[in-house]
Structure formats: structure tokens, C-alpha cells
Amino acid sequence: MGNADYECPRHVEIPPSKPFFKALKSSLKETFFPDDPFRQFKNQPTPRKLVLGLQHFVPILEWAPRYTFDFFKSDLISGITIASLAVPQGISYANLANLAPIIGLYSSFVPPLVYAMLGSSKDLAVGTVAVASLLISSMLGKVVSPTENPKLYFQLALTSTFFAGAFQASLGLLRLGFVVDFLSHATIVGFMGGAATVVCLQQLKGVLGLIHFTHETDVISVMKSIFSQVHKWRWETSVLGCCFLCFLLLTRYFSKRKPAFFWINAMMPLCSVILGSLLVFLTHAEKHGVLVIGHLKKGLNPPSVSDLAFGSPYLSTAIKTGIVTGVIGLAEGVAVGRSFAAFKNYHIDGNKEMIAFGMMNIAGSCTSCYLTAGPFSRTAVNFNAGCKTAVSNIVMATAVMFTLLFLTPLFHYTPLVVLSAIIMAAMLSLIDYEAVIHLWKVDKVDCIVCLGAYFGVVFGSVEIGLVIAVAVSLLRVLLFVARPRTLALGNIPNSSIYRSIDQYPVANNIPGVLILQIDAPIYFANANYLRERISRWIYEEEDKIKSSGQTSLHYVILDIGTVGSIDTSGITMLEEVQKNVDRKGLKLVLANPRSEVIKKLEKSKFIEKIGQEWIYLTVAEAVSACNFTLHTCKPNPGEIDGNRHDDSV
């Protein structure tokens, strides 16, 4: 680039400074209200604002007036379809949580009704979930035995559900939904896979017909419990369990091969319950060691406000269980809701979902229900059945209500081994080995996070796996902040574009100029590292120039276009870099500073030290200015603007 190419550079503007409280208000708005939920209230009369406010917090008031009979026909079919899945799953998952089977049916009645009024997803089908059931069993089972003290255990399960709901609703009301984002996709894949593995191992108790079993969830404890009771294995139960498991897996495989027959996979759990019950009833298998559910009382959910154990000595355990299960339930439910919303090209409000989940769990804890969320399997069935709105949840709840009022005696002979087979079939689909392979190909660190979560759950506990996954994810974020990338840039031939030399080997170095790009905000956590890394770049460049006999180094250009913010430690770092560069007889040049950065540099007097004339809008302009100075005056850069240089030193 010669002298003829040089054009007078454009001046870098310093944005006007905002009053502190105005800037703070803007920052808080961007943090907590990125979707600007108040825009619909602008320029509206007060009555209209009240209506909009009610519709915002109770979404059913918004879409119900537009509801049509065609929508109802679709929702009726999908609601009945997911009810056929909800009944056996509800009983199975309650059994997994060491709660009475009827509690699983209760939990499929009240919460879906609450969600239908408050939820923003058209496709999400709510109900009990296996991972939350396992968490409740493992965390509460450590302090209270569900067999020796079932009443206290039930009370703690309700209390943990209440705190889960309160935590979820608080996150939504305070607009703190980003907390759930700390559970990355890799974390959820590994955690769910590990939990599914543990659940499947736990179900060997039912398949083998064992009565006494370990409360631990790690694979070693489970294997010890199984093989220490070989003499208690029952072949009748094992054969029955294997037959039903194969039956369920085959129907699922057929449904995947023929998507039009998705309903077969949805109906098979209920069919398995019916077939198993008939088989036990006709053969009197319960007299030969096959355990059955037994009596289920008729009637709708009894109130349970008085059962909330706020004064229990185990309250801290209930709170911890509630927070952990609440976070997992939110992460799964919001992720599933967003995934299916993307298929139909509509948006769901994450904070509304959190409020809806919280309110349905608070209501559930007061009506004999334990924690509910938005399971993937049930939602997928609801979606494939052609649901149009959340009315499908109302239809499902109505079907469960009918079951509670009239059909519960029919489940008396349902064998527990069938419930175990239903759970195992559902859990095997959560072990997503293809996702792990994909993570390994795309991002090795994400794969390590995933495997850390998996092995933590399988060989430790559910809580350990979750802690490992979150800790590794946070460590990765901290490393990214503390050790940001710095790149050497070169000129793409026949253009004014400057890109990484590693990424574009054809990019040319500019003689006498070192161009560096900082690829992250500059904070106290990375300021020392960046100072040392920039110094090393300069040393390496000078050594390379000496060994090749090229033109000596005169300018160091820092491209800070990707530096979104900077703190006082970062500004001090730039001042130290400038002094170091000056001592070497070089000149520091800045390019492409962002508004927040340039404002702080101006307030800290750094611009006065470096000189306004050495700050440019683009790297190309900075290079042009450096080349122009080199080719016209050829001064010693340390002597440029000598008075200013001496002051800065």
C-alpha cells in the first residue's frame, strides 16, 4: 500500500456519556427484559392495558376467543392419545419415586389443567418425569425410608414439590430465566443419559422380582444388590418383564420406521398394562411371586396443604431436592417446548413457561401431586397426534379424571414388572449415543462435559453428575474469559480486508506493522494474560524479522472490534502495553473501538496518552496511516510527537 492509496482517515467519535441511573436502567433492561415485554402496552388506554396484562399472565385468555371446533377435534384426538400414555407412565414413575401409584395419576390431573391456562406452548404435554422421580427417590430416600415411614416420605415429596414450584415461579417473575442456560446442551445430554442408565438399572428390581433393594443409585451399589440376591430371583417375573420389554421396543422400532403409525407406540404402554393385568388375573400369577399394584382408591385428588412439612427436621433436604428437581424440570420442559415450537414457527416465552411450571407445581403440592414437567416422550406424541393448542392437556386431564373416578379398580392386578418394562423402554430412548458422537466430532470439550455428567451420575449419584457437568461448563466459560484468543492478522490480497493468518494462509504480513486482534472483553480476569501475550507476540515478531532480514518493526495495531467492554484493569493493561511498546521504540495504534470501550478510554485519559490521531475506525485505515508515515517521513516511531511521547513515559 503506497502513498497514493492513503486517504485521510475518518475520525473516531466518542459517544455522549449517559447519566449513571439512565445507563443502569438501560443495562438492567437488556439483562432482564431482552424481549421487551412491555412494548404491547405502549400508547394503550388503561382498560386495554388491564386486558393485555391479564392476557400476558394468563395466555388462555388470549387464544381462547379464537378457538375453533376444528382445533377442538385435533386436540381431542391428541389429548386422548397422550392420556393413554399418561396413565401407565404416571403409575410407573410414581413407583420409581417410591410413592403410591395413585399419586402418579393425581399428578396427571391437576397440573395439566393449570398449565393449559398459564403455559405459552401449544405442544407441551405436562406430567411426571422419570429423572425427577429418580431424584426425589434418591435424595429424600437418604434421610427417610419410604417403606418404614411412608407418610413422612410422602410429606417431604410434597414439600419438595412446593419449593420446586416456588423456585420456578420466582425465576420467571424475576426474569432470571438465564440461570437455566447454565445447563448446556452437552450437560443435559450427559445428565439425561446417565439418569436413564441408572433408572434402567433400578428397574431390574421389578424385572427380577426382588423386594429388598438398595436406595443408592450408582451402578456399583445396584450391581452388588442384584448379584447378592441371586437366590431370590424369580424366573416368572423375569420372563414376563423381558417379553413386555421386547414388545415395547419392537413397537417403538416399527413406529419410527413408519411415522404414520406413531399412535401404536403411544398406545402400547396402556396395552401392556391391560394385557399384563389380564394375564395375572387369568393365571393368578400374583400367588406365584408376581408382584401387583394392588388396591387403588377411587376419587379425585384430596387436598394436601396440611401435609406440607414446613416444620420437619428434614426441611433443608426437601428444599434442596425441590431446587434441584425444579431446575432439571425447567431445563427439560423449556428446551422441549422451544424445540417443538420451532417446528411450527411460533415463539414461547421462557419466563412465562417458568411461571406456568411453578404455579402448576405449587398447585400440585396442595392437591397430592408430586413434581411435574414437560417430558419429551409425551410431548412428541402430542405433537405427532396433531395437537393445535394446550386444550389437549385439558382433554388428557379429563381422561385421567374419568380414570380416577371409575377405572382405578381395574389396575389392581397390574404387575409391577410391566411398569418396570414401560420405564425401561422409555429410558432407553434418552441414552443418545449419536449425540455424544456428534459432540466429539464438533467440540471435544463439550463431549468431555457430556461424559463427565454421564459417568458422574452412573458411578456417583445424580447430584454428583449434575455438579460435575455444571462445574466443567463453568470452568470452560471462565477459561474462555481468562484466556481469550489473540490473533495475528494479515491482508487478503487485492482487498482491504484483514483476517487471521492461521485461518487464511494467503493473507500477507504488512512490513513494519504487527496487527493483533483481541477476541474477548478485557476484564481483570484476563488483563495480565493479555499483557503478557501481546508482549510475546512482539518478541516473536521481532525475532522473526531479525532472522529473515526484513524491515524492522515500527507499529503494533490492536484490533479491538470484538472487545465489547473493558474495565479499569483492562485500561491499566493497555497503558502498560503502551509503555512497553514505547520503550521498544514502537508505536501503539488502536482500530475499531466499540462505543463502551472508547467512552471508558476517553474518561480514563488513555486517549490523551496515545493520541486521538492513532485511533482508527478500521484496520485498513490504521495500516494506511502507518504506511503513509513510514513511506514519507520514515521517522523513529518513538520520536513521533516527541512531546506527547515523553509525557506518556
Side-chain angles (χ1 to χ4, degrees):
M1 193 178 289
N3 300 345
D5 297 323
Y6 181 70
E7 296 179 0
C8 183
R10 288 171 286 275
H11 181 69
V12 176
E13 298 289 343
I14 299 174
S17 105
K18 295 180 181 178
F20 172 74
F21 288 105
K22 186 175 181 182
L24 179 63
K25 179 182 177 182
S26 176
S27 178
L28 291 175
K29 182 179 179 182
E30 288 300 316
T31 302
F32 297 105
F33 302 99
D35 55 341
D36 191 15
F38 302 112
R39 65 185 182 278
Q40 60 180 331
F41 297 98
K42 293 177 181 177
N43 304 319
Q44 296 288 345
T46 302
R48 179 61 180 163
K49 286 182 180 180
L50 291 174
V51 172
L52 291 173
L54 284 173
Q55 291 178 346
H56 179 78
F57 289 104
V58 188
I60 194 172
L61 298 177
E62 179 185 359
W63 55 261
R66 304 191 303 271
Y67 196 72
T68 65
F69 183 70
D70 289 336
F71 283 0
F72 178 71
K73 288 190 291 185
S74 300
D75 288 336
L76 180 64
I77 295 171
S78 57
I80 293 173
T81 305
I82 57 175
S84 67
L85 183 62
V87 171
Q89 274 192 352
I91 296 173
S92 303
Y93 293 161
N95 188 51
L96 176 61
N98 288 322
L99 294 168
I102 194 68
I103 304 300
L105 293 181
Y106 290 159
S107 302
S108 297
F109 172 49
V110 172
L113 295 176
V114 177
Y115 181 82
M117 293 186 291
L118 302 178
S120 60
S121 173
K122 301 176 184 178
D123 304 285
L124 200 69
V126 300
T128 54
V129 288
V131 175
S133 301
L134 175 66
L135 280 165
I136 289 172
S137 172
S138 63
M139 296 179 74
L140 296 182
K142 291 179 181 178
V143 296
V144 176
S145 171
T147 53
E148 296 176 4
N149 199 343
K151 183 176 180 180
L152 178 57
Y153 181 85
F154 171 63
Q155 290 175 340
L156 290 178
L158 292 180
T159 308
S160 67
T161 300
F162 175 86
F163 282 108
F167 179 71
Q168 292 170 333
S170 298
L171 288 180
L173 290 171
L174 298 175
R175 312 287 293 185
L176 296 175
F178 59 84
V179 172
V180 181
D181 294 336
F182 282 101
L183 292 177
S184 64
H185 171 69
T187 301
I188 293 174
V189 169
F191 180 80
M192 291 296 183
T197 302
V198 169
V199 169
C200 287
L201 293 174
Q202 287 276 343
Q203 295 317 299
L204 292 176
K205 170 188 175 182
V207 172
L208 298 174
L210 300 176
I211 298 176
H212 301 290
F213 205 70
T214 179
H215 294 298
E216 301 296 327
T217 58
D218 63 283
V219 63
I220 295 174
S221 299
V222 172
M223 289 294 101
K224 282 183 179 178
S225 183
I226 290 172
F227 288 104
S228 64
Q229 303 183 74
V230 175
H231 59 287
K232 296 182 180 179
W233 292 6
R234 293 190 174 275
W235 69 267
E236 304 95 334
T237 305
S238 301
V239 170
L240 194 62
C242 291
C243 289
F244 276 104
L245 180 60
C246 292
F247 173 66
L248 290 167
L249 293 177
L250 285 173
T251 53
R252 171 179 294 167
Y253 176 77
F254 176 76
S255 296
K256 285 186 176 180
R257 294 291 299 271
K258 304 287 185 182
F261 294 98
F262 73 92
W263 54 271
I264 294 178
N265 183 44
M267 297 294 290
M268 284 308 102
L270 184 59
C271 292
S272 299
V273 168
I274 295 172
L275 288 174
S277 300
L278 286 174
L279 186 63
V280 170
F281 177 74
L282 295 175
T283 61
H284 302 287
E286 77 277 12
K287 297 179 181 178
H288 300 281
V290 177
L291 301 176
V292 297
I293 288 178
H295 174 69
L296 289 180
K297 61 180 180 180
K298 286 185 180 181
L300 300 181
N301 304 35
S304 57
V305 177
S306 59
D307 289 319
L308 296 175
F310 295 128
S312 170
Y314 306 112
L315 181 63
S316 60
T317 302
I319 294 174
K320 182 175 73 171
T321 304
I323 292 175
V324 172
T325 54
V327 170
I328 296 300
L330 272 185
E332 181 181 5
V334 173
V336 169
R338 285 175 175 167
S339 300
F340 285 96
F343 286 119
K344 292 186 178 179
N345 195 29
Y346 70 93
H347 172 73
I348 67 170
D349 188 327
N351 289 292
K352 283 184 184 178
E353 289 296 283
M354 292 174 189
I355 294 172
F357 274 53
M359 295 308 296
M360 76 180 185
N361 280 312
I362 290 174
S365 68
C366 298
T367 53
S368 301
C369 306
Y370 79 105
L371 191 127
T372 51
F376 176 81
S377 57
R378 203 176 298 185
T379 304
V381 170
N382 195 33
F383 177 85
N384 289 325
C387 70
K388 298 298 182 183
T389 67
V391 169
S392 59
N393 280 291
I394 298 176
V395 174
M396 177 189 71
T398 304
V400 173
M401 178 187 71
F402 183 81
T403 303
L404 286 168
L405 290 174
F406 304 107
L407 303 180
T408 50
L410 299 180
F411 294 100
H412 182 279
Y413 291 99
T414 300
L416 295 181
V417 66
V418 172
L419 303 182
S420 296
I422 291 171
I423 293 174
M424 292 178 74
M427 290 300 98
L428 289 174
S429 64
L430 294 180
I431 305 175
D432 194 352
Y433 64 90
E434 292 180 351
V436 179
I437 295 172
H438 178 72
L439 288 172
W440 179 256
K441 291 179 179 177
V442 176
D443 191 325
K444 302 292 190 296
V445 178
D446 259 357
C447 187
I448 291 172
V449 171
C450 177
L451 293 177
Y454 179 84
F455 289 114
V457 172
V458 171
F459 290 100
S461 66
V462 177
E463 305 99 291
I464 291 174
L466 187 60
V467 168
I468 289 175
V470 173
V472 175
S473 297
L474 290 177
L475 179 62
R476 185 182 186 185
V477 173
L478 291 175
L479 285 175
F480 176 77
V481 172
R483 294 294 182 267
R485 292 183 300 169
T486 54
L487 309 171
L489 305 184
N491 177 241
I492 303 295
N494 303 316
S495 75
S496 60
I497 300 172
Y498 291 81
R499 291 293 183 268
S500 168
I501 294 173
D502 288 337
Q503 184 179 0
Y504 296 91
V506 297
N508 298 319
N509 287 314
I510 307 301
V513 180
L514 173 62
I515 310 170
L516 300 176
Q517 183 182 69
I518 300 174
D519 200 19
I522 304 176
Y523 292 122
F524 65 92
N526 59 27
N528 288 330
Y529 167 78
L530 287 173
R531 183 187 65 250
E532 295 167 1
R533 191 65 185 92
I534 292 170
S535 298
R536 200 173 96 199
W537 275 112
I538 295 172
Y539 295 144
E540 291 173 352
E541 185 69 14
E542 288 178 332
D543 291 343
K544 187 169 66 173
I545 288 172
K546 287 178 183 177
S547 62
S548 62
Q550 298 175 359
T551 305
S552 60
L553 184 63
H554 295 284
Y555 296 95
V556 177
I557 299 176
L558 291 184
D559 178 8
I560 55 176
T562 55
V563 179
S565 60
I566 189 170
D567 66 359
T568 53
S569 298
I571 295 171
T572 302
M573 181 274 294
L574 289 180
E575 292 173 346
E576 293 173 356
V577 168
Q578 184 216 0
K579 292 176 182 178
N580 183 38
V581 167
D582 283 350
R583 281 193 294 268
K584 291 178 175 293
L586 309 177
K587 184 63 192 173
L588 181 66
V589 183
L590 300 183
N592 195 20
R594 299 298 185 189
S595 61
E596 289 300 315
V597 174
I598 197 68
K599 274 197 297 187
K600 290 186 179 180
L601 294 181
E602 193 268 337
K603 289 179 180 179
S604 66
K605 308 298 182 184
F606 180 77
I607 293 179
E608 293 181 11
K609 296 175 183 178
I610 193 174
Q612 178 74 47
E613 67 274 17
W614 293 110
I615 302 177
Y616 296 92
L617 280 175
T618 65
V619 174
E621 287 187 353
V623 172
S624 296
C626 294
N627 275 334
F628 177 76
T629 306
L630 282 173
H631 288 94
T632 54
C633 305
K634 296 200 177 201
N636 179 356
E639 296 174 356
I640 297 173
D641 195 5
N643 294 332
R644 181 195 50 75
H645 174 69
D646 293 338
D647 291 341
S648 65
V649 174

